[in-house]
Every structure is written in C-alpha cells, then in structure tokens.
Amino acid sequence: MKLKLKLNNFKLLLFFSLTLILCNSSPTLGQDSPSPSPTLAPETQNPDPTFEDIFGKPRNQAQKVIVPFFIDGQQRGQVLLNLGNIPGVQIQAAPLLAETEKVIRPDTQTKLTNAVDVEGNLNLEILRQNGLEATFDQSKLELQIQVPPTQRRTNVASLNERRLPRGTENAIRPSTLSGYVNFRADQDYIWQGSEQSQIGRQPLRFGLDGALNYKNWVFEGRSDFTEGRTPAFIRGDLRLVRDAPDQALRYVIGDLSIPVTGYQNSQSQIGISVARNFSLQPHRVTRPISQYEFFLESDSRVDVLVNGRLERTLELSAGRQDIRDLPLGAGINDVELVITDNVGRVQRLNFYHPVAADLLAPGVQQFAYSLGFPTSDSSGDRNYDFTEPIVTLSHRLGVTNRLTAGSYLQANFDQQIIGLEGSWATRYGNLGWDMALSHEIELGIDYAARLRYEYSPVGAKNPSQRSFQLTVETRGENFSRVGEDNPNNDFFYDITANYSQQLFWKIRGNLSARYEFGRDTPNTYSLSLGLSKTVRNGLNIRLNLSQNRDQTGFEQQRAFINLSWSIPKIRQSIQVSSDVNNNGQYKNSLNWSYNPLRTIGRPRMSLGLTQNDRGYNLTGRLSYTGYYFNWDLSNDAVFTVDGDGGISNTSKLSLATALVFADGHFGWSRPINDSFALVIPKDSVRDQEIVINPSINGDTARINHFGFAVVPNLSPYNLSTLIIDAPNLPVGMDLGNRAITILPTYRSGTLVEVGTDATVFLRGILLNANGEPVSLQSGQIVSISDSNFPVVTLFTNRSGRFATAGLKPGRYQIKLFSNPPAEMEFEIPANATGIYDTGTLQFP
C-alpha cells in the first residue's frame, strides 16, 4: 500500500513538472513561434491514463496549435488553430487574411472578412464554401490552401511600368545659380540692286536673348538692336517663370505667351498665368491606358502584338489577367494576344482600341488660366493698357477612356467668348467638336462651330494604310474673337475633306478637297490629287495636280512634280522640281546640298538655281556649326529676262555664339536652345583633351585649350547621359565615372566635374609571412593620408602579382579578405606619376 502511494505521488509530480515546462515554452497567443515546428498547448498533450482519477473530471477535447499555412504550395506564415472535428477547425483570421488579400479576388476576400466571428476566427468550412481548396494535414500539422484560377486576383501586367527611366534617382541636378546669353548678329551687303536699294553695307542687326536660373526661378528675356534706326534698341519679352514639376504646373509673370484653345485669340499681353504643362512630366502617360482583360485556365506564354508587331512576351500564371499600357498610336489600333499554354495549345484574342490624339486618361486634367493686359510696341518700347484686362481660361478633363471634354472662356470689358470642345474615340472613327458663342457690345451675340471626323485604322487590318478626315465649320456673320475689331466671316460653311491610301506599285495617293459657301462673295473651292513613290536608292517622286477658284471667281489649274535623290554614301542630295499653271506662269528649280558625316566642326554647303517667267535666281550657302559659335554665309543673285539686263546681288553673313555660367564657372558655346551642361576638369586632368559624347558623327563638345566643354542642346525634364572620353589620357590618370546622367530643368545649367585626384597606376607582388605568393586573393587599398579618398579594390594572380589604377601619392594600407585577414602599410612617393612599381611587399 505504501509502495503504491509513493508510485502515485511520483506520477503526480512528474505530470505537474511536464505541465509547467510546456506552459513556460508555449508561445503567447497571436505571436509567431520562434520555431517553425508546431507547439501544443498543455491541454493538447497526450493525457495520463489516470488523468480523470487525479482531477476528478474528463479531459477537455479542444486543442490549440500554432501551425504553418501554405497558399498554392508556398509558405506564407503561421496561424493559431482551434482543433475539433476537421470541418469545424477554427483558424486565427488576421494573419491568414493578410496573405489571402494578395492572392484572391476582392469580392471573395470581402466575403471571408465578413465571415470572421467575434473571437477573430474563421471556420475551415467557410474557406471551402467560398471556392478555396482548404485542408488541414494532421500528420504534418500544416494548413494547405489552394486557390483555383477562377478565384485568383486579376494579375496586372504593365508594358510601361517605369514612369521614369533607370538612373533618374542618381542623376546630377541643375546648379543653384546658372544662366546664359546668346549673341546673334546679321550683316547684309548689296553688291548690285534696284534703284530703291542702297548699294553697300546695310545696317547691322544684333540680338540678345538669355535666361538666369536661381533655384529653378527663371528670369528670361530678349532685345534687338538695329544700326541707324531710331530707337536703336527694341525690348522683347521679359518674364519670370517658375515650374512645379510634381504637379506639372508652370507659373509665368510678365510678358505672356499663353496657350489658346478653340476660338480663343492669342494676343500680346502682360500679366500672370498658370498652366498644366505635361512637358514637365515627359514620362507620364496622359493618354488613356489601354487595358485588356482575359482568363487563363493554365500557366501560359502570351505574345502581345500591337498593329502586327511583337511588343512583349509574358509568362503568366493561370487566372484573370489584365495587360495594359500598350504603345498605341492615334487611330484604330489592332491588338492581338497569342496564348500558348503549357501543353502547346494556341489561342488568339483580338481587340480593337480607338485612340484620338488629344484624348486624356480618365481623371487627368489639363488647363491654362491667365489674367493679362494688352501690350503694343511703340518707339522701341512696350505700352501697356491697364484699363482693359483680359481673362483667358481653358480646362479639359478625361471623362472616360474614350471621351475627353473641355470648356474655355476669354473676355474683356467689350468682348466675350465661351466655348465647349471635346473628343470621342470610337471603333468607327474619332469625333471632335468645338462650339462657341461670342458677344460684342455693338455686334451682339453670335456663334461658331466646328465638327471634325477622322478614320485611320492602324496595323495589319489596314494594309493599304488608308485614312480619312472631314471637317465642317460654320460661323455667324457677327461672330468675333476677343481682340478682333472687324471680324471677317465671309462664309456660311467651310467643308474640308482628305483621303489617302497606298495604291498599286506602292504608290501613295492623296485626295483633298475644300468648299466654302460664301456669305456675300462667290463660293470658293480647291481640289488636289497627290501621288508619291519611293523608287530605290533614295530616289523619291512626287506629283500634285490641283484646281481652285478664289473669291473673285478666278479659276486656276496647277501641276507640280518633284524628284529628290539622297545619296548617303557621299552625304549629298539633289532635288529637281517644276511648277506650272494654266496662266503661263512656271517655276523650275534645281538644288544640290552636302551634309558632312561630322555635324560639328565641318562646313555644310548648298547651291540652288531657280527659273521662272521673270528671270533666274542663283543662290549659294555655306554654314558651319562649331563648339563655340555658328556662322552662315549666303549669296543671292537675281537675273531678269525683261531685256534691260537688270541684276540684284546680295550677300549675308550671320554669326551666333553664347556665354554660359554655372555655380561660378564660365564657358563659351554655340547658342543655347533651352538647357545646358558645363563640363569642367579637375586639376589632375586639366591639361588633357576630353571629349563629350564621342560618336561616328563627331562629338558634342570638348575640353581643350580654348576652354571648358558646353553641351547646349539638353531637353528639360528628360534624362540625359554624357559619355566622357580622353583618347590621350596618360597611364595612371583617371576620369572617374565615364557615363554621367543629368536631369535638367527649364532653362537650367548643370555643372559637371570630370576626373579624379588619381595620378598613379600601381603594380607589385604580395608575399605572405612565410614568403609565399599571396595567390588569387582579393582585398582593398585604403588611404591613410586622405580619409575621403575612395577605396580601391585589389586582386592578385597565382604568382601574387597585382595591378590597379586610381591612386595618388600618400600612405596606404592593404587589407586582404583572407582567413585570417592580413594587413600591411606602404607609401607612394610624392613625385610619383604614371606607373609606380612597389616591388615585393611581404605581410608581417
């Protein structure tokens, strides 16, 4: 009896010990287990046979266990289960729903979320009822969920995923302060002319234009000078421009050059404007996004063809697919998807996508708002009328993928105009409309409307490349635009049509017609037929036949033929043309031109001879584009055939150059178009000739004894890459990064520094402490003298030899990536340049 009691006490002690250990090692509810192996709560352990005898109650049948869960065979995490009978297994919902949201359809995800009970659990049977194949493997303690293709979230495959080109994040930004001034001069000399012309040198014409950019605030302007004129100087436009690229907005104060829409009138004025300018975001897709949805029953390869050309090949999993951002052109595009499944079966899907050139994507807005006052030129200066403010507003909105609508307003105190415009793309063609009402104090209210239609299929469905455009316009007699004092509306209707297609023998045909129904004048019309063909070897032939009648009732027939021959091998081209009409007037011309392979630093030339019913005209031109200036020399001689031997002979010389600066550095350049880069060398390579963007057509700019290099033709808000090369760079010197990316802004200058402080090419032999070669090892050379000097990588061959560039005089430490690591120091003498041999270096 005593032995039995001791045995029962021992069992009881053992049971409580095991229970305490398991309780302390169990993870907290809702937390991840530190081990992927499932851990059972205490009540889930195998019970002792005397469990009910000891506790006086039956064992609880519910079990709690943390197990890994898998979706489509991939482990997605761990989840807590409450085990009972298998269909009634309760699953901790939060971690499971976080992963299923990435895989299953949104509507199915919503149903699962709504099915979560008050304790935050999902029933295993609920997963099955919503189309998921869910099982719990008791032997492996794993929750497996398979998502059928019909329940998978739509896979979006974008063919234009990158809105910005690669490298934008590391591109050099414009200088804080930069600017440029373009200088242009024209000088004419008349050798012989009519009695009214002055023989000899003509008045010199001189022009200035430039910009100053400080932290992307841009002040720009221009001015003209004419010798002997009163006044000599005439001020041009002056304005302050500020861009907000993130919002694609441009703010302007000063002399405005505002964009106009529809029947708005562009006038010279001073004021303030704000406009959405998509050129500030050139990589943004503002057109409607092409979107094609389809279903794959199995994993497949999909070839995407746009207008008969392969654009991309995609490997897609089974389920719903959405392919978008295809490169579509204006017109009716043919998109074909060739689907090849995993057993080789092929299926073809065809879509037709109409696109209008001026459509906006849904939700995209384009607008321009301005308030200004009219200006006029007088005595070389600007006069402003601040008593007549002008408001100019326009706004367009992408409504759907195929519809864009807009409205506009322009008004002053005396005249107002309001209009509605839009575009609608259909598979039967694109429609556009523009309707406006005008009001003028004396003329009252009147209307104008324009309707256009275009049909232009693209791709294999249109092998003849046919297209058709039709425009119908009508104006009321008193319709007037803002700023028009005497409107001229001579017609009721103006109808224009154009049809073109490829004919037999690859001849391109074009037929156009226009008819105007006059209000108080005779009707007018014009009709023309054009034929063109490219023969071979650069030879092109163009023929145009036309007939028209003007407002006086005069009718004319005209024939024009042109032959052009381009000869790329010798960089020359020849053009011959003849133009005759039924009135006995004619014009025959012969032109020759030469364009060298190198566009910079080589002259271009051309000669032309023209004959007409009044005489002959002989022209010659010689042009040159250099690194620092452009010049153009031309001569024009006219010989008459009226019997008096009259002749006119005029020569003209034009010069243009520019001065630029960026962050305190100045450069000399040919004229700047918008933005520029100023490339300067470090002291170590200052005496070297360095070229920018070398190519078979010559380089863009170069650093030489004349000065720094200026790249004058950069497009703002577009990534540009400068390729740096020095053909005669001595051994040991280093240019650093030879492909430099920059991201200019509007009329900005970017300072680019090339070269490094390196002047030494190092080589030698490394031995270990035993005197053996350090064979096939890698390491680093770290500067002790200059903590900012970049680390240089080191490699050895089988005999311990190494060679590396990019160093300068000073003390260094070699660190080998060996086991154990090895270190040693050495020194490059102060006067060392080019190749420096350390000899044999041995690690201690």
Side-chain angles (χ1 to χ4, degrees):
M1 180 68 179
K2 188 175 182 179
L3 181 61
K4 184 177 181 180
L5 182 60
K6 289 181 178 181
L7 183 58
N8 286 335
N9 289 338
F10 175 78
K11 292 181 178 180
L12 185 61
L13 180 61
L14 179 61
F15 177 81
F16 278 110
S17 299
L18 291 173
T19 302
L20 181 61
I21 293 172
L22 291 174
C23 287
N24 289 335
S25 64
S26 297
T28 305
L29 183 64
Q31 295 182 346
D32 291 338
S33 173
S35 171
S37 301
T39 305
L40 298 181
E43 64 267 28
T44 67
Q45 308 297 322
N46 291 330
D48 186 87
T50 60
F51 181 94
E52 188 171 349
D53 295 335
I54 296 173
F55 291 98
K57 61 180 180 179
R59 180 177 65 87
N60 187 359
Q61 296 296 323
Q63 298 179 352
K64 296 181 180 179
V65 58
I66 295 177
V67 302
F69 68 95
F70 297 77
I71 299 179
D72 291 334
Q74 295 183 355
Q75 185 173 346
R76 296 298 187 102
Q78 294 179 329
V79 68
L80 179 68
L81 301 186
N82 290 331
L83 301 180
N85 54 49
I86 293 302
V89 169
Q90 298 293 315
I91 307 168
Q92 185 184 9
L96 180 66
L97 292 178
E99 295 300 320
T100 57
E101 185 180 17
K102 306 173 185 177
V103 181
I104 65 176
R105 288 165 35 186
D107 56 335
T108 304
Q109 178 76 10
T110 301
K111 293 178 181 179
L112 296 180
T113 303
N114 295 336
V116 177
D117 61 23
V118 294
E119 296 180 356
N121 295 326
L122 269 175
N123 193 287
L124 187 65
E125 186 62 28
I126 294 295
L127 300 180
R128 296 172 177 173
Q129 292 175 1
N130 284 278
L132 305 180
E133 300 173 4
T135 59
F136 174 63
D137 191 326
Q138 289 181 303
S139 62
K140 296 182 179 180
L141 292 179
E142 293 177 353
L143 178 63
Q144 294 280 356
I145 299 175
Q146 296 293 328
V147 182
T150 55
Q151 294 296 330
R152 290 180 185 171
R153 174 182 287 272
T154 301
N155 174 52
V156 177
S158 175
L159 269 66
N160 186 25
E161 294 180 357
R162 295 189 63 86
R163 294 292 183 259
L164 293 175
R166 192 179 303 275
T168 300
E169 59 279 0
N170 298 321
I172 300 176
R173 264 46 179 188
S175 301
T176 302
L177 178 64
S178 63
Y180 67 88
V181 179
N182 291 326
F183 303 88
R184 307 177 192 273
D186 294 312
Q187 178 66 72
D188 292 354
Y189 194 95
I190 299 179
W191 304 92
Q192 186 175 353
S194 63
E195 294 180 357
Q196 293 80 13
S197 62
Q198 180 182 358
I199 305 299
R201 190 180 69 85
Q202 303 301 299
L204 174 67
R205 298 184 301 276
F206 188 76
L208 293 174
D209 67 89
L212 178 67
N213 186 313
Y214 177 69
K215 294 184 176 180
N216 292 328
W217 288 88
V218 179
F219 178 74
E220 59 184 12
R222 64 179 179 85
S223 179
D224 297 311
F225 166 84
T226 302
E227 180 187 8
R229 185 178 62 183
T230 303
F233 283 96
I234 295 179
R235 180 179 71 81
D237 291 344
L238 297 175
R239 63 177 65 94
L240 181 67
V241 180
R242 173 65 176 179
D243 285 348
D246 292 341
Q247 293 80 37
L249 295 178
R250 172 163 292 171
Y251 302 90
V252 180
I253 300 176
D255 295 306
L256 302 180
S257 177
I258 58 174
V260 293
T261 300
Y263 290 100
Q264 290 179 337
N265 190 22
S266 179
Q267 305 175 70
S268 179
Q269 53 185 288
I270 187 173
I272 182 172
S273 72
V274 57
R276 172 146 291 164
N277 190 333
F278 291 124
S279 67
L280 275 63
Q281 297 178 345
H283 308 290
R284 178 183 177 185
V285 178
T286 59
R287 279 187 177 182
I289 297 175
S290 55
Q291 184 173 346
Y292 307 95
E293 294 190 3
F294 57 98
F295 182 80
L296 292 180
E297 296 182 355
S298 60
D299 297 350
S300 303
R301 186 188 76 243
V302 179
D303 295 322
V304 183
L305 288 83
V306 178
N307 299 320
R309 190 176 73 175
L310 178 65
E311 289 292 340
R312 188 77 61 86
T313 297
L314 304 172
E315 298 290 341
L316 301 177
S317 302
R320 297 183 181 275
Q321 309 294 330
D322 178 0
I323 297 180
R324 57 180 61 184
D325 291 353
L326 274 66
L328 305 181
I332 302 175
N333 293 265
D334 178 17
V335 178
E336 183 178 29
L337 306 180
V338 181
I339 303 170
T340 306
D341 64 16
N342 48 17
V343 295
R345 292 175 297 188
V346 177
Q347 178 185 7
R348 297 178 182 270
L349 300 178
N350 289 89
F351 304 89
Y352 296 95
H353 193 101
V355 176
D358 53 354
L359 279 182
L360 296 175
V364 174
Q365 302 182 56
Q366 187 177 27
F367 53 83
Y369 307 145
S370 71
L371 172 63
F373 302 89
T375 66
S376 60
D377 294 328
S378 176
S379 300
D381 203 355
R382 294 288 180 93
N383 294 326
Y384 306 107
D385 186 359
F386 292 104
T387 64
E388 288 289 335
I390 303 173
V391 175
T392 305
L393 311 174
S394 65
H395 201 116
R396 303 178 69 241
L397 171 67
V399 182
T400 69
N401 277 328
R402 298 188 179 184
L403 176 63
T404 294
S407 61
Y408 56 87
L409 168 71
Q410 192 172 37
N412 57 25
F413 289 138
D414 299 326
Q415 296 173 296
Q416 303 85 38
I417 186 172
I418 186 172
L420 298 174
E421 57 92 16
S423 296
W424 181 29
T426 75
R427 65 179 303 171
Y428 304 105
N430 299 327
L431 292 174
W433 61 89
D434 187 357
M435 300 175 292
L437 291 177
S438 71
H439 173 263
E440 205 269 342
I441 292 179
E442 297 181 357
L443 299 177
I445 299 176
D446 218 326
Y447 72 94
R450 183 187 300 116
L451 179 66
R452 67 182 184 276
Y453 168 79
E454 60 180 20
Y455 178 77
S456 180
V458 183
K461 297 296 182 181
N462 186 18
S464 61
Q465 302 174 15
R466 64 187 184 277
S467 66
F468 176 72
Q469 295 88 32
L470 174 67
T471 301
V472 179
E473 183 178 10
T474 180
R475 293 192 190 186
E477 183 177 5
N478 295 322
F479 178 81
S480 63
R481 301 191 301 170
V482 176
E484 285 183 344
D485 296 329
N486 298 304
N488 183 17
N489 301 315
D490 293 335
F491 60 89
F492 290 105
Y493 294 99
D494 183 357
I495 303 175
T496 303
N498 181 275
Y499 178 80
S500 66
Q501 78 166 71
Q502 184 171 288
L503 307 173
F504 50 87
W505 301 331
K506 295 185 178 180
I507 296 176
R508 183 74 184 178
N510 182 82
L511 180 65
S512 62
R514 181 176 184 179
Y515 199 95
E516 291 181 324
F517 294 87
R519 178 170 276 113
D520 298 318
T521 59
N523 297 344
T524 66
Y525 72 88
S526 63
L527 181 66
S528 69
L529 170 65
L531 301 172
S532 62
K533 178 177 175 58
T534 299
V535 184
R536 61 177 60 184
N537 299 327
L539 180 62
N540 293 275
I541 303 175
R542 183 160 59 95
L543 173 67
N544 184 273
L545 303 174
S546 64
Q547 176 167 325
N548 62 74
R549 182 174 67 191
D550 60 20
Q551 291 182 337
T552 66
F554 177 77
E555 294 193 2
Q556 183 184 73
Q557 294 84 38
R558 176 173 172 259
F560 173 80
I561 185 170
N562 177 274
L563 285 81
S564 62
W565 185 23
S566 177
I567 315 172
K569 290 184 178 180
I570 58 175
R571 314 295 299 177
Q572 299 182 37
S573 62
I574 300 173
Q575 187 178 74
V576 181
S577 65
S578 181
D579 188 352
V580 298
N581 60 41
N582 62 329
N583 300 317
Q585 299 172 337
Y586 64 92
K587 180 180 178 181
N588 303 317
S589 63
L590 172 65
N591 294 280
W592 168 86
S593 63
Y594 168 73
N595 291 289
L597 180 64
R598 293 176 61 91
T599 57
I600 307 297
R602 296 289 187 275
R604 303 181 305 278
M605 60 189 72
S606 63
L607 291 173
L609 176 62
T610 302
Q611 178 198 21
N612 55 37
D613 55 306
R614 296 180 300 275
Y616 297 88
N617 187 4
L618 177 63
T619 60
R621 184 173 182 179
L622 186 65
S623 303
Y624 177 87
T625 299
Y627 298 116
Y628 308 108
F629 58 85
N630 299 338
W631 59 261
D632 185 279
L633 178 63
S634 63
N635 192 84
D636 190 355
V638 178
F639 305 88
T640 63
V641 292
D642 56 6
D644 61 0
I647 183 174
S648 171
N649 190 8
T650 304
S651 296
K652 179 178 180 179
L653 176 64
S654 300
L655 294 171
T657 187
L659 179 67
V660 307
F661 70 92
D663 285 345
H665 296 271
F666 290 82
W668 181 24
S669 168
R670 59 187 179 272
I672 306 298
N673 297 324
D674 194 308
S675 299
F676 67 92
L678 178 59
V679 186
I680 66 173
K682 280 197 171 184
D683 291 339
S684 60
V685 294
R686 186 171 294 273
D687 296 330
Q688 303 301 315
E689 187 174 58
I690 300 173
V691 298
I692 315 299
N693 294 337
S695 71
I696 191 175
N697 297 322
D699 45 78
T700 303
R702 65 176 54 202
I703 301 173
N704 53 25
H705 58 276
F706 286 106
F708 302 144
V710 179
V711 182
N713 51 357
L714 300 181
S715 299
Y717 305 105
N718 284 274
L719 196 68
S720 298
T721 301
L722 305 183
I723 305 300
I724 314 297
D725 189 27
N728 303 314
L729 191 69
V731 176
M733 291 186 180
D734 187 14
L735 286 178
N737 186 8
R738 291 177 179 254
I740 300 174
T741 56
I742 60 177
L743 186 61
T745 57
Y746 178 68
R747 299 200 187 281
S748 65
T750 305
L751 184 66
V752 178
E753 192 173 19
V754 298
T756 68
D757 295 331
T759 58
V760 173
F761 182 87
L762 187 70
R763 66 186 183 188
I765 301 174
L766 294 183
L767 302 179
N768 60 23
N770 298 326
E772 300 168 341
V774 178
S775 178
L776 303 178
Q777 286 289 335
S778 63
Q780 292 179 337
I781 301 179
V782 181
S783 176
I784 301 175
S785 306
D786 185 358
S787 59
N788 295 322
F789 196 78
V791 174
V792 177
T793 303
L794 172 74
F795 296 96
T796 65
N797 63 10
R798 293 187 179 275
S799 59
R801 294 183 180 275
F802 69 93
T804 184
L807 297 172
K808 66 178 182 178
R811 292 195 56 80
Y812 293 89
Q813 184 180 53
I814 296 179
K815 297 181 178 181
L816 290 183
F817 301 141
S818 55
N819 189 17
E823 298 179 358
M824 68 174 299
E825 295 183 7
F826 71 97
E827 183 175 3
I828 300 177
N831 59 351
T833 58
I835 299 176
Y836 178 72
D837 196 328
T838 64
T840 301
L841 300 177
Q842 185 172 358
F843 286 91

